[in-house]
Amino acid sequence: MLITCPYCGPRDLAEFSYQGDANRPRPDQHDTDQARWNAYVYDRSNPAGPHREYWQHAGGCRKHLLIVRSTLTHAIESVAFAGAQGATPQAPRRAAKGRTKTGPAKGKKP
Amino acid sequence: MAEYSLFSLIKNAWNGNRDWKPAWRKAEPKTDYDVVIVGGGGHGLATAYYLAKEHGITNVAVLEKGWLGSGNIGRNTTIVRSNYLLPESIRFYDFSVKLWEELAHDLNYNVMFSQRGILNLAHSPAQADDYIRRGNAMLHGGGDAEWLTPAEIAKKAPGVDLSASARFPVVGGLLQPRAGTARHDAVAWGYARGADRRGVDIVENCEVTGFLREGDRVVGVKSTRGEIRAKKIAVAVAGSTGRVMKLAGIDALPIESHVLQAFVTESLKPFVDTVVTFGGGHLYMSQSDKGSLVFGGDLDGYNSYAQRGNLPVVEEVMSEMVALFPGLARVRLLRSWGGVMDMSMDGSPIITTGPLPGMYLNSGWCYGGFKATPASGWTFAWTIAKDAPHAINAPFTLERFHRGALIDEKGQGATPKLH
C-alpha cells in the first residue's frame, strides 16, 4: 500500500501509523451526556467500502492525515491534512480559541 | 457401531470404499425453521451441533455464503489455549479446552487435537513477573501452568536463541501443557457432520442479503436462495459482522474488522513439538503434522474486509521469527494469506441475545476465535435455546461496553488494533 502524503509524495505504508476511524464526532468537552460519550468511545460504523480514517505520517513529516480508503480493496480515494477545512469530523466547539491539534494546511501545500 | 471406526474402515476397504456417505447432505433450504444460523464457520456449525445435541432443537438451518471452511475456520494458525488472566476469560476458555479434550470422541471425527503445550517466552524480568502472575491466575482458576527456566526451555524447544547476546534475551517462559493445536478443517467438517446427522440443514452458497422484520422483531432472512423464516435468527459471521448487522439496520457496534496474516513454510523434519510465542514482539508458531511451520504475528493495523494484507507486517513477522529461531533464516516461505478479524473494543467476545428481538449475536472474537469454537457453540446454543446466557458467557454481553464492565485482558482500552 502506498499513501501519497500531501507534503512528501507517495510513501510506503511502513512510514505511516493508523489512528483510526474518523467517522466519530467527538462530543463537546462540556457535554455530560453518558450515552454520547459511550457511543464516541466504543461504537464504530465499520463499513465495508469507503472509510474515512486518520493516519499519521510518523516516519515522515509527522502530519496527521485524513484518508478515504476502501476497506474492501485498500484502494485510497483521497488524502488530505486532518484539521484542514472540511476535513474534521469534530462537533463545533464552544470556543474556537486556544490550541488546535494540527495547524491549518493553507499555504503549506507544495 | 460408530459410523467411523476400525471395523467400518476395514469393511469399506474391502468393498472399494463405495459405501461411505457424504459427511453432510447438500440441503435445500426450507421456508421455515425454528432456528436459522447465519454463518457456516466453526462457531455457526458448533452452535447448530450443540443446539441439536444438548437442547434437542433440530429444525435448524446453517446458511453459509461460500463453502464450509472458507472463512476463518480455514485460515487460522490452529492454536488452542486458555492462558488468560481475567476470571471471566479463564472460565470460558478453560471450558473450551475441556470440550476440545473430548471433541474427537464426541463428534466421532478425528479433529487431531494435539496437547503439545504453549510456551510464552518472557524477555525481561518485568515480563516474567507479568507472565508468572498470569500463570498463578490460571492455576487459581483451575487450569494448568508451569514456569520454565531457560535451561528447561532449551530442552523443550531446542531451536530457540537462548544466548545472552540475543536482542531480546529469554529469561524464562510460561508453559500451559494442556494447550496445543488441532486440525482446523476437520473441526468444521466434524461439526458439520455431527449437526447434519442430527437433522440440521447445512446450506452452502446461500448468502444472506437482508432480514425480514415484523416491527422491531426479526422473523427471517432474505437470501440468494430465497426467503427463509425462523423463530430465532442467530448471527455468527466473525469478520463480516459489520456487513451483516447493517442489513438488519444495526449501524454501530463495538467492533472493527481488521486483517490478520498467517504464514506457512516448506515442510521440515521435526523441529519444534510445542507452540512457541515470542514476547519481544508478537509472534506465535508451531509445526504442523505435515512438517510446515505455521506462524503469524500482529494485525496489519487498519480497518479491512480484504482477506489479504500488506508487506510491512510480513517483514516484521519474518524478522521476529529469525530473531527467535536464527536457524530458520534460510527456510523458504510457502504461502501466506489473510483473514478478517472482528476486533472488539476490549479484546473479548460478545455472545448474547439481541440486539434486536428474535436475534442472537456471536461476535468480537478478535484473533482468538479458533480455540473458542466448542465453547462458543456450546454457550451460544444455550443462549438461543433458553433465551438467556449461561453463567459462562453471561459476562460477554453487548451492553458491557456502555456499562464499563469491560473484559480487557491487555488493558489497551477501546483501540481494537492493539488487542
Side-chain angles (χ1 to χ4, degrees):
Chain A
M1 207 153 95
L2 281 177
I3 296 176
T4 306
C5 171
Y7 260 150
C8 313
R11 295 298 184 96
D12 188 79
L13 172 66
E15 293 185 8
F16 295 85
S17 85
Y18 185 62
Q19 303 193 304
D21 192 332
N23 297 304
R24 305 175 291 145
R26 186 188 169 93
D28 185 278
Q29 60 179 331
H30 303 291
D31 194 342
T32 53
D33 185 86
Q34 193 71 40
R36 269 198 294 277
W37 279 105
N38 277 333
Y40 167 67
V41 174
Y42 294 113
D43 294 347
R44 305 285 191 276
S45 59
N46 196 25
H51 187 230
R52 281 160 53 88
E53 56 198 25
Y54 291 122
W55 290 75
Q56 187 187 11
H57 194 184
C61 61
R62 303 199 58 79
K63 283 292 262 183
H64 294 264
L65 306 174
L66 177 73
I67 292 181
V68 181
R69 183 186 59 96
S70 169
T71 56
L72 288 168
T73 63
H74 298 165
I76 293 171
E77 281 177 28
S78 69
V79 184
F81 292 122
Q85 195 129 39
T88 170
Q90 298 187 344
R93 296 266 172 93
R94 277 189 188 175
K97 283 181 190 170
R99 69 187 175 93
T100 46
K101 252 190 197 172
T102 51
K106 273 179 199 170
K108 287 189 180 176
K109 282 181 188 167
Chain B
M1 183 190 74
E3 192 179 335
Y4 296 156
S5 65
L6 182 61
F7 180 74
S8 72
L9 196 66
I10 294 168
K11 181 167 156 281
N12 281 284
W14 277 110
N15 65 7
N17 289 312
R18 282 188 305 262
D19 294 343
W20 294 115
K21 280 195 286 179
W24 62 90
R25 295 164 289 130
K26 297 277 175 215
E28 282 299 315
K30 294 189 287 184
T31 54
D32 227 318
Y33 286 97
D34 288 340
V35 179
V36 159
I37 298 168
V38 184
H43 292 217
L45 293 166
T47 304
Y49 174 76
Y50 290 114
L51 270 175
K53 179 175 178 249
E54 303 288 340
H55 306 283
I57 300 172
T58 57
N59 187 21
V60 176
V62 180
L63 310 183
E64 165 57 43
K65 79 170 173 185
W67 68 94
L68 288 198
S70 59
N72 291 345
I73 189 72
R75 289 170 177 268
N76 56 76
T77 46
T78 78
I79 298 165
V80 174
R81 58 185 178 87
S82 61
N83 49 358
Y84 282 84
L85 174 69
L86 302 176
E88 297 88 349
S89 311
I90 291 171
R91 199 160 57 218
F92 182 85
Y93 290 107
D94 221 51
F95 175 61
S96 200
V97 169
K98 283 176 187 157
L99 290 174
W100 275 108
E101 284 170 335
E102 292 303 319
L103 194 59
H105 285 137
D106 191 29
L107 294 174
N108 177 226
Y109 202 99
N110 188 1
V111 296
M112 297 167 75
F113 181 46
S114 156
Q115 290 180 292
R116 57 185 67 184
I118 187 167
L119 177 60
N120 300 141
L121 297 176
H123 305 265
S124 69
Q127 195 170 31
D129 286 350
D130 182 41
Y131 283 11
I132 290 167
R133 176 184 174 223
R134 181 152 53 85
N136 284 333
M138 288 155 65
L139 292 174
H140 187 66
D144 60 324
E146 286 172 31
W147 181 252
L148 301 190
T149 62
E152 289 166 320
I153 292 167
K155 281 188 194 160
K156 183 84 186 158
V160 174
D161 182 5
L162 293 165
S163 61
S165 61
R167 172 66 184 82
F168 297 101
V170 174
V171 302
L174 181 68
L175 178 73
Q176 186 191 16
R178 283 159 66 238
T181 59
R183 170 89 172 93
H184 52 358
D185 295 321
V187 177
W189 299 335
Y191 272 123
R193 173 173 163 275
D196 176 89
R197 296 291 186 268
R198 285 172 167 81
V200 171
D201 282 352
I202 294 163
V203 188
E204 292 170 84
N205 301 311
C206 179
E207 184 174 355
V208 168
T209 55
F211 287 87
L212 302 174
R213 304 278 289 266
E214 277 173 15
D216 249 4
R217 198 172 179 81
V218 178
V219 295
V221 297
K222 293 178 211 159
S223 81
T224 49
R225 297 179 70 175
E227 290 191 353
I228 303 167
R229 298 180 83 82
K231 295 188 186 77
K232 298 178 177 184
I233 312 284
V235 177
V237 295
S240 300
T241 301
R243 299 167 91 169
V244 171
M245 294 306 281
K246 270 193 181 50
L247 300 175
I250 306 289
D251 202 43
L253 282 170
I255 287 173
E256 280 182 9
S257 292
H258 283 252
V259 62
L260 177 68
Q261 302 188 63
F263 309 89
V264 163
T265 67
E266 59 190 333
S267 289
L268 305 177
K269 289 189 175 180
F271 175 75
V272 60
D273 65 354
T274 184
V275 182
V276 182
T277 74
F278 176 55
H282 191 182
L283 174 88
Y284 35 91
M285 67 85 74
S286 63
Q287 187 167 20
S288 76
D289 293 347
K290 271 197 304 195
S292 324
L293 303 173
V294 183
F295 59 106
D298 257 332
L299 297 169
D300 268 40
Y302 45 82
N303 288 47
S304 174
Y305 284 88
Q307 284 174 320
R308 61 182 183 280
N310 271 291
L311 289 172
V313 165
V314 177
E315 190 179 12
E316 186 185 311
V317 172
M318 298 309 140
S319 65
E320 288 176 345
M321 187 77 160
V322 175
L324 190 56
F325 297 102
L328 295 178
R330 296 181 68 184
V331 171
R332 283 167 297 189
L333 195 66
L334 200 64
R335 283 182 289 132
S336 74
W337 64 93
V340 183
M341 309 293 117
D342 37 338
M343 302 302 297
S344 69
M345 293 295 145
D346 60 358
S348 293
I350 296 155
I351 312 169
T352 184
T353 55
L356 297 172
M359 194 178 230
Y360 303 80
L361 180 65
N362 178 327
S363 180
W365 289 100
C366 300
Y367 42 100
F370 178 69
K371 62 177 173 287
T373 305
S376 164
W378 196 95
T379 54
F380 198 34
W382 178 290
T383 306
I384 296 164
K386 315 257 181 195
D387 272 313
H390 187 273
I392 294 172
N393 67 311
F396 299 101
T397 62
L398 193 56
E399 297 81 40
R400 71 174 184 270
F401 299 96
H402 287 202
R403 283 176 34 236
L406 305 191
I407 306 164
D408 191 342
E409 284 282 330
K410 283 172 111 182
Q412 297 283 23
T415 311
K417 69 170 182 175
L418 298 178
H419 285 296

